[in-house]
Amino acid sequence: MSVVFDRPSALTDTLMHYCPGCTHGIVHRLVAEAIDELGILGRAIGIAPVGCSVFAYNYFNCDMIEAAHGRAPAVATGVKRARPDCIVFTYQGDGDLAAIGTAETVHSATRGENITIIFINNCIYGMTGGQMAPTTLPGQVTTTSPYGRSPKIQGNPIRMCEMLATLDGVAYAERVSIDTPANVRRAKKAILKAFRNQIEEKGFSIVEVLSTCPTNWGLSPVEALTWLRDNMIPYYPLGVYKDIDKKEGDMK
Amino acid sequence: MSVVFDRPSALTDTLMHYCPGCTHGIVHRLVAEAIDELGILGRAIGIAPVGCSVFAYNYFNCDMIEAAHGRAPAVATGVKRARPDCIVFTYQGDGDLAAIGTAETVHSATRGENITIIFINNCIYGMTGGQMAPTTLPGQVTTTSPYGRSPKIQGNPIRMCEMLATLDGVAYAERVSIDTPANVRRAKKAILKAFRNQIEEKGFSIVEVLSTCPTNWGLSPVEALTWLRDNMIPYYPLGVYKDIDKKEGDMK
Amino acid sequence: MNKVTIDTERCKGCGLCANACPKGIITLNGKTLNSQGYHPAEVTEQEKCIACAMCALMCPHVVIRVERDV
Amino acid sequence: MNKVTIDTERCKGCGLCANACPKGIITLNGKTLNSQGYHPAEVTEQEKCIACAMCALMCPHVVIRVERDV
Amino acid sequence: MTYNILIAGFGGQGILFAGKALAKMGMNEGLYVTWLPSYGPEMRGGAANCSVVLSDTEIGSPLVPEPDILISMNIPSFDKFTPKIKPGGTLFADCSMIDKKCTRTDINAYYIPASALASDNDLQGLANVVMLGYFLKVTGIFDYDKFLLDITSGIPASRANLIEGNKKALAIGYAYEG
Amino acid sequence: MTYNILIAGFGGQGILFAGKALAKMGMNEGLYVTWLPSYGPEMRGGAANCSVVLSDTEIGSPLVPEPDILISMNIPSFDKFTPKIKPGGTLFADCSMIDKKCTRTDINAYYIPASALASDNDLQGLANVVMLGYFLKVTGIFDYDKFLLDITSGIPASRANLIEGNKKALAIGYAYEG
Amino acid sequence: MPKVLMKGNEAIAEAAINAGCLHYFGYPITPQTEISEYLAKRLPKVGGVLIQAESEIAAINMVLGASAAGVRAMTSSSSPGISLKSEGISYLVGCDLPAVIVNVQRGGPGLGGIQPSQADYYQATKAYGHGDMRLIVLAPSTVQEMATLTGEAFDLADIYRTPVIILADGAIGQMMEPVDFSERKPREIPPKDWACTGHGGTRKRNIINSLMLDPEALEKSVRERFERYKKIEETEVKYERFMTDDADIICVAFGIASRICKSAVTAAREKGIKAGLLRPITLWPFPKAAIAEAANTAKAFLSVELSMGQMVDDVKLACECRRPVEFFGRTGGVLPSPAEVTAKIEAIAAQL
Amino acid sequence: MPKVLMKGNEAIAEAAINAGCLHYFGYPITPQTEISEYLAKRLPKVGGVLIQAESEIAAINMVLGASAAGVRAMTSSSSPGISLKSEGISYLVGCDLPAVIVNVQRGGPGLGGIQPSQADYYQATKAYGHGDMRLIVLAPSTVQEMATLTGEAFDLADIYRTPVIILADGAIGQMMEPVDFSERKPREIPPKDWACTGHGGTRKRNIINSLMLDPEALEKSVRERFERYKKIEETEVKYERFMTDDADIICVAFGIASRICKSAVTAAREKGIKAGLLRPITLWPFPKAAIAEAANTAKAFLSVELSMGQMVDDVKLACECRRPVEFFGRTGGVLPSPAEVTAKIEAIAAQL
Ligand SMILES: Cc1ncc(C[n+]2csc(CCOP(=O)(O)OP(=O)(O)O)c2C)c(N)n1
Ligand SMILES: Cc1ncc(C[n+]2csc(CCOP(=O)(O)OP(=O)(O)O)c2C)c(N)n1
Ligand code: SF4
Ligand code: SF4
Ligand code: SF4
Ligand code: SF4
Ligand code: SF4
Ligand code: SF4
Ligand SMILES: [Mg+2]
Ligand SMILES: [Mg+2]
């Protein structure tokens, strides 16, 4: 018998606390697989955010640091500047990365910090129970947009990859999804590349992963995947927004 | 005799504290002229930043609020939401708007706050004596990049108009310069439009003005204008980056 | 025969595996409750499994192991 | 005759007006020091002035007034 | 008179609602009442509990670490909290969820298969109300009719079936002979 | 022995440098010294001043609000600070910048057209050093040669003309007969 | 008005609306998110606006803007989120702007936990920001007080042109109790002629500013503000006494801790110990005089806090160290049981 | 090593390099920007790195990252900028991470002014963040001490795994005095086996974290940290006495105020008043025992501060209110003259 699929060794044995069907777990696994495949577990340092993935430090088998809400890229900068040989990554939600952490995200990007950022966009604040996120879609009901997000009042969602792609320091920005096995495979490729870029000292790499929050969306796990496909992907098109290895025309 | 040019009434009589040849003064005047021409002095509320223009509250003849460093767009948001009939503008430097205030800038923009932002990009922290700004050019010597800004170490300059143009809430983003009388006239037009947009409730408008800091650049006022033209404009191309009144093709 | 092993004690019964399985051979066992309080997933007809690992790819809690008969 | 008035007490002697004047009729008066400690600008040949207001457009301290003879 | 009540089970079993119903009734009866939920991210699908205090004098701490009355709706809470019941106190356990009995002899224990009764009667999600019915009968703290009125009064007329469901569930619990 | 010295003028007149030169010399002579500049954005092209304290005992406050010695290089500082000189104290004023005299009789006043001397001798920007030369002669606080060595020692050989300029300026000031 | 059963957080939200606050700016954080969730539902229906800011910093600065524009504005958060507001709070003080800031405290330091805590007492009462400053700090101990003191907070803020802190904790924020909103007694508020509303050409322009480069001017403004503080200290102290008249041992406790102490005091009395409770309702101004007076008859004080001991300093200062001041506390989110406190009271009694 | 004439800010920068700190993260603000300007020149030459962060918040979190990665790291700012670091400081504490944080204080509140101040004393000593926490706070009064205490700060930070604050002010930051860098005496530093450096497969993974959802666990970690604080209080108190032995009136003052007091005390002695000065060098741990002991002989204390009176509380607590504790202060950036202080001493003497 050959093992086609097994738990990556960069994941600890700890059972993840995520809700049933929450795709945070899938992305954790992809990150762990990338670490395994690149053989960098011993020199990887992960930064956990504040958000549902706050306990990421319990799940990744490398050295881990828990950052303050939104500040993971700043913490990562400190780590990377102190230990340039380590492979430093952050794992952050949309509230963390695109709201409170906007400045840290934009500036680590424009500085071209040689780090890897895994950005989980689930259109909601999961951890705190379903408030509006910067990425919440127009019309989406959340506990702080109970009548549906109105761009006139609550503003427009923010597309981080598109925005960050305008910055010179960004080596690579891609948006992926995990709604189907095929997309999971593509997400894996993107995450691998984002880590490989760092090993090759190419600069700032970010992979935005469209992810589900069945609990706060009030949907079953399977319905949540469909909702993601039907609502998020049209608003947040998948694709490569920047890749210094490629020419403009080659992208997406 | 007809008066071709005189001090706008939206400026107070106070002598401005700016260094000789500092173009902050020109932009102040343009803002004041716009206020005069639109007849909005009585309902204008200005937000002063922390930076060389910290004393802006002494110069504009309308109600004024002094914000904390970088937070002018948040203060403006509070004012505008409290007094939707008032015309609210901020006047901010590059350190203020593009470094410490990044999150406030990006989010007031993506929310589409119906405010007007005048952004003075002089590639330096003027007020504190010439440190590197987020917009400091590669190779530029400042007191905190004494060997010239190296993108590898200090990161790349940030182009705010290009970045903000990716956001849905932005109605208008234009970059202008004040290095020549012709450009001053263009800058004036842009500032007028940015205020008119607000009156017409079109949303977030920002005018980025390339400006000089002879003192910290170590140049004479006239040399400074030349330096701006030769070094800043190539890196920060002038033009309209977003205008919801226009189609893509019509811009610049 | 290919083999899919689900660690049912750690399964949270989300059904993403079942949804992904092209052979439709995974179901949530409505009868059993594991100690976490969930109805775990179960492979009903192992013999039909093609070891495509779609189930494992989608499992958020990484509790599926897939082996191919070689 | 067109008339350009410079409030010399408030002038900071930066020379941007002089630099902008197409007629080259503004100079910084190296002799006088105003109470701020600057050498203020001065129109040397008023009669040549075309009231184009370039000087005023560039004056950061807004101390220039331009009038056209009509 | 002070009742320190702890209600515990899985999230989704209506634990917090049951507590609120008791507190609201207490308030309407002119008692001092407090209701304090456990809160936190760890409760996602996991444990949920709430402390309810009903008293005719001002209430100090709203937290009930050692209840006079424990209502337990699942095994983990049964294991965790039965040892904390005050001597002389009372246990209510949903014996369709909990397959064991309390071994303490210094408390009164009442068992009702609330979840089974609910699902058998097509009252999914109302095991908590079944339990409340039983609780009312055993303790007699509140008048049955008033309580019924109280828990159904908040439900809008448009959702009449919900009113019916609650009524039925309460009745089943109240009628249950342990 | 303690000298509380205040040096004041416009920014750009080398006020802070002059103060540092005195402090550094004092340090080399084994004295306690402090140098405290005025600082702030208001000084852009505007006022500049610094407090220098030289003492053979530990120095308390480094701020010199009431100087023993005032070196004034422009009118605003002259107006502001001459009234603050301690009785019996000394004033040095650049009379090419300041077109008035101090009316106080309880102090010693010395006038030197330092700026004029500097520009007349092609020593633009070295009025401060001219002033220091004069200050040295009048006060005799430091040895002339040592002081000369000290202020020029920091200048790299590559900028020999600067060394020369300083030397010349100091000499002119020292030679000036008031 | 009939009583309603409400969470403490919700009571704050509703009370803010009652007090005429139609502008709320906040950022979610446990255990106080219900405040914004409640307001998100209610404000649009009463012509108000809630902005979920991009961060706590943005939120406090939006409050500054709205307050400068003359409207009542509020923000709320919990410990780490309030730390982020430090600079903004100091600016509000420096600008003499009214504002209501709610801190529903949780365990710290750092990310800490989310259970009830009182360990931000030092911050709130001494230094929620740089520079010489004070804030009025109100400490509700019931859901009813969450409502009443919120109304009072808006009045105090406007009367004294100062930010007011409501220092609550996770337990009072999350618990439900009956509330009666008719209890509020609004006070007279001076006109906000200093506000930036657009001068309309009819008055001198208004400037809201905290920058004063001239030290003498800055000192003057600080001293003027401290004169106002003096007035607050003289007139706005609030506290509650519970069986203190003949008490040998007086517990001093606020918020949720004071409720636990009430139970403990009652239990101690049953054991024959003359215990009492003095509950500061205003943490600043601290009820110094009341404690000094109590020190005339009491033999010892016991400061009971959900922290490692912070208010205990103020108790000592208030009684000028004339009596022993003991401390009992639990921290990190642990709520002490009344029995623990009673035991401590007994231990003190044994030593008297 | 010969003495060099240096600004206080520069002395801190050079001393940091001497102490092996090669990682600095900061954001410009007057009156301390020379620290980064100096380091920007020097660090690249010694293999170090300076990042001018996008904000003070980013800077403190970069420090957290670098410190977590096991290197010595520093940040510096002035009052408003340090307020912004509150959350980050609390996280450093919660994570038990060493760090050196310099506050060259300026007048507040709000934007305030840029002249010397000591009005952040409360913040620094009581609550630079939420939750139960303490920081070692060092108060240099000379440029030499700016250097010496910076070296000491790094050692203390590493030994006790705590952030250390250097609480300076604009005057000491901006003034020049001679410094001798050879005065530093490095202490023994425990290995940083807790640091995140990549485990290389050779050790258990390290986790740096301040989150503890279980209140009991969080409480335990806080109590453990307070045990360390106790040790610091027992062993690391530093202060200086100046003519206190026979003094009737003892000034208590730190930093720049202490220098003014020295002049004032000397002047008072010349007038026949037995004055003295007790200068806390560690503001936390506060020299309680020294003050308590001084209270045995002194008749009164006078706390002299560049603020409206903050340390004065600690003096009262330290002497347990056994002696009158008077206060004299100027704020907003005004430096009091020695004469003003002498006058106050005389006034107190007249009442003894
Ligand atoms: C300074 C601060 N503000 C707010 C919070 C509360 N908080 C915790 S997680 C979170 C939002 C998380 O949302 P997101 O980043 O989208 O992650 P998700 O839970 O959706 O994965 C917030 C607001 C906090 N812990 N600290
Ligand atoms: C929180 C905070 N950080 C830093 C400062 C110090 N500071 C004042 S102005 C300024 C930079 C100003 O630069 P910029 O915004 O580019 O304006 P300019 O002076 O160039 O016009 C800084 C860092 C401050 N006052 N507050
Ligand atoms: S709340 Fe949402 S994001 Fe968080 S674990 Fe549950 S499903 Fe995932
Ligand atoms: S420092 Fe620069 S930006 Fe500031 S006033 Fe002077 S020239 Fe202008
Ligand atoms: S490996 Fe493929 S066929 Fe087999 S159970 Fe999994 S999804 Fe179904
Ligand atoms: S996907 Fe994983 S967790 Fe979900 S039901 Fe299948 S095996 Fe269980
Ligand atoms: S108006 Fe034109 S011509 Fe006349 S002085 Fe000015 S620039 Fe010269
Ligand atoms: S531009 Fe204005 S300030 Fe400059 S020299 Fe001319 S008149 Fe004077
Ligand atoms: Mg999210
Ligand atoms: Mg700038």
Side-chain angles (χ1 to χ4, degrees), chain F residues 23-157:
Chain F
K24 190 146 159 270
M25 189 66 214
M27 174 178 80
N28 293 344
E29 292 293 287
L31 296 174
Y32 290 91
V33 302
T34 61
W35 171 93
L36 178 70
S38 60
Y39 60 91
E42 76 276 24
M43 286 175 327
R44 214 144 281 159
N49 71 61
C50 67
S51 298
V52 175
V53 184
L54 309 171
S55 180
D56 50 12
T57 56
E58 219 180 306
I59 298 167
S61 176
L63 186 70
V64 177
E66 298 172 357
D68 301 314
I69 302 173
L70 171 69
I71 299 179
S72 169
M73 306 278 290
N74 72 353
I75 293 180
S77 69
F78 181 90
D79 291 344
K80 188 166 172 192
F81 296 121
T82 49
K84 306 260 173 87
I85 299 170
K86 281 200 200 126
T90 309
L91 163 72
F92 291 89
D94 180 344
C95 57
S96 55
M97 297 296 292
I98 304 159
D99 55 0
K100 42 187 162 183
K101 296 268 178 283
C102 179
T103 54
R104 283 180 62 176
T105 54
D106 60 342
I107 60 164
N108 306 305
Y110 297 90
Y111 300 90
I112 176 173
S115 298
L117 285 171
S119 51
D120 292 352
N121 288 281
D122 234 15
L123 297 166
Q124 264 73 19
L126 289 175
N128 57 344
V129 180
V130 173
M131 178 60 94
L132 285 177
Y134 187 52
F135 171 90
L136 280 190
K137 182 169 73 186
V138 173
T139 63
I141 295 185
F142 298 124
D143 178 74
Y144 181 87
D145 293 325
K146 278 197 199 164
F147 190 82
L148 177 62
L149 195 71
D150 201 60
I151 59 167
T152 53
S153 66
I155 305 169

Side-chain angles (χ1 to χ4, degrees), chain C residues 4 8-9 15-17 30 32-33 47 56-57 59-60 62-64 68:
Chain C
V4 166
T8 50
E9 259 312 292
L16 294 194
C17 51
T32 353
L33 261 192
E47 62 285 359
L57 267 181
C59 175
V62 206
V63 304
I64 303 181
R68 188 191 300 279

Side-chain angles (χ1 to χ4, degrees), chain E residues 118-158:
Chain E
S119 51
D120 292 352
N121 288 282
D122 233 16
L123 297 166
Q124 264 74 19
L126 289 174
N128 57 344
V129 180
V130 173
M131 177 61 92
L132 285 177
Y134 188 51
F135 170 90
L136 281 188
K137 183 170 71 187
V138 172
T139 63
I141 297 185
F142 299 122
D143 177 74
Y144 181 87
D145 293 325
K146 278 197 200 165
F147 191 83
L148 177 61
L149 197 70
D150 202 59
I151 59 166
T152 52
S153 66
I155 305 170
S158 60

Side-chain angles (χ1 to χ4, degrees), chain D residues 4 17 20-26 43 46 48-56 64 66:
Chain D
V4 167
C17 51
C21 176
K23 294 287 153 190
I25 56 175
I26 308 186
V43 182
Q46 190 68 259
K48 290 198 188 156
C49 172
I50 55 172
C52 65
M54 299 268 195
C55 51
I64 303 181
V66 182

Side-chain angles (χ1 to χ4, degrees), chain B residues 1-7 13 15-22 25-26 29 178 181 184-185 221-222 225, chain D residues 1 3 10 12 14-16 19 36 38 51-52 54 56-62 64-70:
Chain B
M1 297 281 268
S2 80
V3 176
V4 182
F5 195 101
D6 204 359
R7 210 175 160 82
D13 279 342
L15 184 64
M16 293 189 276
H17 71 290
Y18 299 110
C19 302
C22 172
I26 298 181
R29 193 192 70 229
I178 40 55
V184 170
R185 284 204 192 89
V222 174
L225 290 183
Chain D
M1 199 170 74
K3 189 163 156 226
R10 297 165 64 100
K12 296 209 186 183
C14 68
L16 294 193
N19 182 58
Q36 294 184 77
Y38 299 116
C52 65
M54 299 268 195
L57 267 181
M58 293 305 291
C59 174
H61 290 89
V62 206
I64 303 181
R65 181 184 157 98
V66 182
E67 286 159 297
R68 187 191 301 279
D69 205 354
V70 278

